[in-house]
């Protein structure tokens, strides 16, 4: 700030966690032609990543011995990387502890879906064509019940498949699931 007045009672950016003003003058008065440097830290929170960045407007409000001085402000945009990533684990078990199945026996599938990225994911689907397409669920794991897969949150899905004669003749059941967000 350059001007002809001594500035008193400066107010600086409320978004900073711990602003540190490095005074070039004693007494807390900004004299004409002098500069104060304000260093601060903003703790990045999950909401900042989910929003894609931080939009911070620093505003300086000051008074002189003659009253308020015209405010000034500056906005800075800091973009944050959003990295969506999923890990899907799929396991199958024969019902009733059987070692192998017969026609009509149920094959029990369990899917575990983990958000391994750094941002909350929405519109989550697990698609398994053998099991009829998109699975319902999750059956557990949405701890805050918001329908969004939070970072490091693990959702569990389950489904069943009745073994057919074609599967038995082939000697195996083959299928593949796809997780989408």
């Amino acid at each position: 700030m350059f001007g002809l007045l001594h500035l008193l009672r400066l107010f600086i950016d409320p978004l900073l966690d711990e602003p540190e003003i490095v005074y070039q003058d004693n007494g807390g008065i900004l004299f004409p032609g002098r500069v104060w440097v304000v260093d601060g830290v903003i703790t990045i929170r999950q909401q900042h990543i989910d929003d894609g960045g931080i939009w911070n407007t620093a505003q300086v409000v000051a008074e002189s011995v003659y009253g308020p001085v015209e405010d000034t402000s500056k906005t800075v945009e800091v973009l944050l990387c959003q990295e969506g990533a999923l890990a899907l684990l799929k396991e199958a078990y024969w019902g009733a502890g059987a070692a192998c199945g017969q026609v009509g026996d149920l094959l029990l599938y369990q899917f575990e879906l983990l958000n391994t990225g750094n941002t909350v994911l929405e519109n989550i689907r697990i698609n398994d064509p053998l099991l009829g397409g998109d699975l319902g669920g999750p059956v557990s794991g949405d701890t805050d019940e918001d329908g969004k897969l939070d970072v490091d949150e693990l959702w569990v899905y389950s489904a069943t498949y009745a073994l057919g004669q074609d599967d038995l003749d082939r000697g195996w059941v083959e299928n593949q699931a796809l997780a989408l967000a």
Side-chain angles (χ1 to χ4, degrees):
M1 288 185 179
F2 295 99
L4 302 176
L5 301 174
H6 299 157
L7 300 180
L8 315 165
R9 290 187 286 279
L10 275 80
F11 171 77
I12 301 175
D13 194 351
L15 188 57
L16 297 175
D17 292 336
E18 296 177 24
E20 178 185 336
I21 300 174
V22 179
Y23 295 102
Q24 301 244 337
D25 297 303
N26 291 330
I29 298 173
L30 181 58
F31 291 101
R34 299 297 183 132
V35 175
W36 280 358
V37 176
V38 178
D39 288 328
V41 174
I42 296 174
T43 301
I44 296 174
R45 294 176 176 82
Q46 185 61 52
Q47 190 60 50
H48 295 139
I49 295 171
D50 295 343
D51 291 343
I54 298 172
W55 291 263
N56 180 18
T57 300
Q59 182 176 18
V60 178
V61 179
E63 292 182 12
S64 75
V65 293
Y66 300 106
V69 176
E70 183 177 338
D71 297 352
T72 186
S73 65
K74 174 69 176 172
T75 300
V76 175
E77 177 180 317
V78 178
L79 299 179
L80 300 172
C81 296
Q82 293 178 318
E83 298 172 0
L86 294 169
L88 177 63
L89 173 66
K90 177 181 176 182
E91 296 181 305
Y93 308 93
W94 287 113
C100 59
Q102 300 299 319
V103 172
D105 286 352
L106 291 181
L107 190 55
L108 310 173
Y109 284 99
Q110 180 170 306
F111 302 83
E112 292 182 354
L113 184 61
L114 177 65
N115 182 349
T116 58
N118 72 348
T119 189
V120 174
L121 300 174
E122 298 183 53
N123 302 315
I124 303 299
R125 297 182 311 151
I126 294 181
N127 185 282
D128 191 323
L130 183 71
L131 302 176
D134 287 349
L135 303 180
V139 296
S140 66
D142 190 5
T143 55
D144 54 6
E145 298 179 357
D146 64 354
K148 298 175 185 177
L149 186 58
D150 299 322
V151 175
D152 293 327
E153 190 171 53
L154 177 74
W155 285 5
V156 177
Y157 296 76
S158 63
T160 58
Y161 174 74
L163 188 65
Q165 185 62 51
D166 291 344
D167 302 316
L168 196 56
D169 293 344
R170 188 173 39 255
W172 70 85
V173 176
E174 182 178 349
N175 70 327
Q176 186 172 6
L178 178 64
L180 304 162

